[in-house]
Amino acid sequence: MKSLKINFNVSWLRVCVTAILIIGIFCIVVFLLINVPWLIEGNKARQKAYYQRTEWMIHCFQEAIQKYTKDCGAPPNELQWLMINPGAAGWAGPYIKINPVFYWLHRYDAWGTPYRYELIDGKPVIISAGHDKVFGTKDDIVMHGIKPKKGKE
């Protein structure tokens, strides 16, 4: 019986390595073609969810400020007065009916920037800096009146 010798030539090795590289590059290209549009759309959906969460929290603050103003006669000077009695006559809070830990975590908008709270002519204004984290730009979420509004006021 003769034993068969398999002689792997260097050229066959090169062909195999080249084929594996081509298949790998093809797989990467297909993966990117499938997932890049999804990743871009996913970022848009995430930003929309961040805006909705921030607007919801501003609305919660606004409702609490209205209750505080009704009880105490004037809006609070600071947002924390909605949870902690500042010594104001008529205070019947806490005005945010959520877990205090939840409130302390939500002193920041969805992008991690603290809300800006101001009294302008005695009227409360709550501002989120938006996704660029810079106050005074067109993506700010500003609360004047009943509903929060997008954009610089």
Side-chain angles (χ1 to χ4, degrees):
M1 270 194 172
K2 286 185 171 181
S3 64
L4 293 173
K5 285 188 173 180
I6 300 175
N7 186 5
F8 280 103
N9 198 339
V10 174
S11 64
W12 277 104
L13 185 59
R14 285 184 185 162
V15 169
C16 290
V17 169
T18 303
I20 290 171
L21 285 174
I22 290 172
I23 292 170
I25 290 170
F26 176 77
C27 290
I28 290 171
V29 168
V30 169
F31 175 81
L32 291 175
L33 288 174
I34 292 171
N35 289 305
V36 166
W38 178 81
L39 291 172
I40 292 170
E41 288 301 315
N43 189 39
K44 289 179 184 176
R46 186 178 322 111
Q47 290 302 323
K48 182 179 178 181
Y50 284 177
Y51 271 103
Q52 290 172 340
R53 178 179 147 211
T54 299
E55 287 176 340
W56 174 80
M57 197 61 205
I58 288 175
H59 182 73
C60 289
F61 282 132
Q62 186 227 6
E63 287 180 351
I65 289 168
Q66 288 176 346
K67 292 175 186 174
Y68 179 99
T69 303
K70 182 181 174 191
D71 290 346
C72 300
N77 290 338
E78 300 177 27
L79 285 178
Q80 68 182 7
W81 289 7
L82 300 172
M83 293 295 292
I84 300 170
N85 187 348
W91 193 87
Y95 293 95
I96 297 180
K97 302 297 183 192
I98 56 177
N99 185 322
V101 172
F102 181 82
Y103 163 74
W104 292 112
L105 291 175
H106 284 81
R107 293 179 297 153
Y108 301 93
D109 64 16
W111 299 275
T113 307
Y115 292 102
R116 182 178 286 174
Y117 176 74
E118 302 170 354
L119 289 175
I120 299 176
D121 296 327
K123 296 181 182 177
V125 177
I126 300 176
I127 306 169
S128 163
H131 77 275
D132 67 359
K133 300 182 180 187
V134 177
F135 287 98
T137 57
K138 68 180 182 171
D139 74 325
D140 290 2
I141 302 172
V142 182
M143 188 275 308
H144 286 289
I146 295 175
K147 291 185 179 178
K149 301 175 185 176
K150 287 184 187 175
K152 187 176 178 181
E153 293 288 315

